[in-house]
Amino acid sequence: MIRASVARRLHGERAARRSGQSIVEFAVALPVFMMLLLGMLEFGLVFSHHIGLEYATREGARMAAALGSGTDQVVCSEVDKNVIAALQRVLTSPGSQIAMANVSEIRIYAADASGLQIGGLANVWIPGTGPTVDGYALKFSQSSLGWNACGRKNSWTLPNNPPDSVGVSLTYRYDLVTPLGNLVRAFSSGSIRIDDRTVMAINPT
């Protein structure tokens, strides 16, 4: 009887210790699991924003390549306005998660074979009240002109001298939105800079 009572007591103590150990392990593992979960969620949101920006620069570059130095319908001085309008339509389309206030710069530039800007050949647009294109008010205004659309080359002049390539780049600030962002803000700004660009050769004539 005494031995049975002692055995039951020891068994109960071991069970209590195991239960206490499980609670401690759970308390330690839960924050790590939540951090991983929030990290994956935040990464998914960043990736979604990047896809939207990528689509926007692609539409802008496609418009710039199609218009070149102007067409019968669009004079050269109106080319860049139409490029910005095409890009903005994507950014503000239904379902877009892009915060327009976080777009700090759009750049239309002459690109080399590596897709990089050639010297100062770039036109920079920044947030502000812009012109109207086809009844569509632009949310960006031109801050600098370094590559006049009227001088863009859209034809082969020599066998080894192809049409110009045009690049459209965009700079965006993504603000962390999950509770993970509050923790990150204790050590940094809590935002991520996203840059995207698309380069296309101007359609030859």
Side-chain angles (χ1 to χ4, degrees):
M1 295 266 316
I2 295 176
R3 289 181 180 176
S5 176
V6 171
R8 283 195 297 271
R9 189 175 67 233
L10 291 175
H11 178 73
E13 290 175 354
R14 291 194 192 99
R17 283 198 297 270
R18 283 195 296 269
S19 178
Q21 181 180 355
S22 298
I23 293 174
V24 171
E25 290 174 350
F26 177 77
V28 171
L30 181 61
V32 177
F33 175 75
M34 291 301 297
M35 290 285 288
L36 290 174
L37 185 63
L38 291 174
M40 289 189 293
L41 177 60
E42 198 75 69
F43 175 80
L45 292 171
V46 172
F47 185 70
S48 177
H49 278 70
H50 187 268
I51 289 176
L53 297 173
E54 185 178 35
Y55 182 35
T57 59
R58 187 165 62 246
E59 284 300 302
R62 183 180 289 117
M63 179 67 73
L67 296 180
S69 58
T71 65
D72 293 339
Q73 293 76 32
V74 180
V75 297
C76 60
S77 60
E78 302 290 322
V79 167
D80 282 4
K81 298 176 185 178
N82 282 272
V83 173
I84 299 298
L87 189 149
Q88 182 174 304
R89 280 193 292 270
V90 174
L91 296 179
T92 58
S93 62
S96 173
Q97 300 180 11
I98 303 302
M100 292 297 290
N102 290 1
V103 179
S104 59
E105 179 186 279
I106 299 172
R107 186 176 292 259
I108 304 170
Y109 63 94
D112 61 17
S114 300
L116 302 177
Q117 180 178 318
I118 300 174
L121 299 179
N123 300 335
V124 178
W125 292 68
I126 60 175
T129 302
T132 300
V133 178
D134 296 331
Y136 191 70
L138 299 184
K139 300 179 184 295
F140 301 92
S141 61
Q142 189 167 10
S143 65
S144 69
L145 175 62
W147 191 32
N148 196 317
C150 299
R152 293 172 191 170
K153 183 162 62 70
N154 59 352
S155 61
W156 288 78
T157 55
L158 294 171
N160 296 322
N161 194 4
D164 290 335
S165 289
V166 59
V168 176
S169 67
L170 184 151
T171 301
Y172 181 75
R173 187 189 77 249
Y174 172 81
D175 296 321
L176 302 177
V177 297
T178 67
L180 180 63
N182 295 328
L183 179 61
V184 174
R185 288 186 191 93
F187 305 97
S188 65
S189 63
S191 62
I192 300 172
R193 171 173 166 164
I194 302 177
D195 294 291
D196 190 79
R197 68 181 183 187
T198 299
V199 176
M200 293 186 181
I202 294 178
N203 296 349
T205 57

